[in-house]
């Protein structure tokens, strides 16, 4: 009988320790209402920074680095791509397209 009381007491302690909701978990009101208002959804992002980031991304898409242009050119030509797997894209571009002179 004494063992049963001790086991019951331990079970109650374990349950209390694992099921206790602290004040920190209740600080966020998402517990009661997980969805936020549409107007407040993007309050943490400033509109001008977002537009500036989009503009910068578009500029980077238009102007590619020379290495990236060479790599794309090499990827379009199958023998160059095979050579690049073994020796690298810089060496492959130089091997297949390095002798060309463009004006």
């Amino acid at each position: 009988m004494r063992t049963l009381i001790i086991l019951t007491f331990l079970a109650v302690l374990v349950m209390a320790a694992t099921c206790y909701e602290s004040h920190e978990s209740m600080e966020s009101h998402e517990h009661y209402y997980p969805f936020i208002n549409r107007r407040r959804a993007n309050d943490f992002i400033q509109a001008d920074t977002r537009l500036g980031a989009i503009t910068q991304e578009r500029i980077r898409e238009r102007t590619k680095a020379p290495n990236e242009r060479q790599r794309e050119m090499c990827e379009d030509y199958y023998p160059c791509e095979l050579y690049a797997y073994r020796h690298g894209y810089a060496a492959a571009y130089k091997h297949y397209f390095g002798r060309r002179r463009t004006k």
Side-chain angles (χ1 to χ4, degrees):
M1 183 70 172
R2 188 173 192 198
T3 311
L4 183 63
I5 293 172
I6 292 173
L7 286 176
T8 307
F9 181 70
L10 287 175
V12 168
L13 282 177
V14 168
M15 190 171 59
T18 57
C19 296
Y20 173 72
E21 285 198 32
S22 65
H23 177 68
E24 288 85 15
S25 66
M26 298 303 285
E27 283 179 356
S28 167
H29 299 292
E30 294 173 0
H31 184 270
Y32 296 113
Y33 188 68
F35 304 106
I36 58 175
N37 188 344
R38 265 191 261 161
R39 288 187 209 120
R40 294 197 53 212
N42 291 323
D43 280 351
F44 59 94
I45 296 177
Q46 300 296 327
D48 55 335
T49 8
R50 201 171 45 202
L51 290 176
I54 290 171
T55 305
Q56 284 297 102
E57 185 179 347
R58 297 296 174 249
I59 290 171
R60 272 187 251 117
E61 285 177 358
R62 275 189 263 140
T63 58
K64 293 182 181 177
N67 292 342
E68 188 175 352
R69 275 189 261 130
Q70 291 175 359
R71 182 181 178 131
E72 287 177 357
M73 198 172 182
C74 190
E75 284 176 349
D76 290 339
Y77 187 54
Y78 187 69
C80 182
E81 188 175 14
L82 290 178
Y83 193 88
Y85 285 141
R86 184 170 287 181
H87 302 284
Y89 279 100
Y93 182 82
K94 186 192 260 183
H95 179 75
Y96 283 98
F97 303 106
R99 291 182 288 259
R100 287 187 180 179
R101 298 211 179 227
T102 57
K103 290 185 180 183

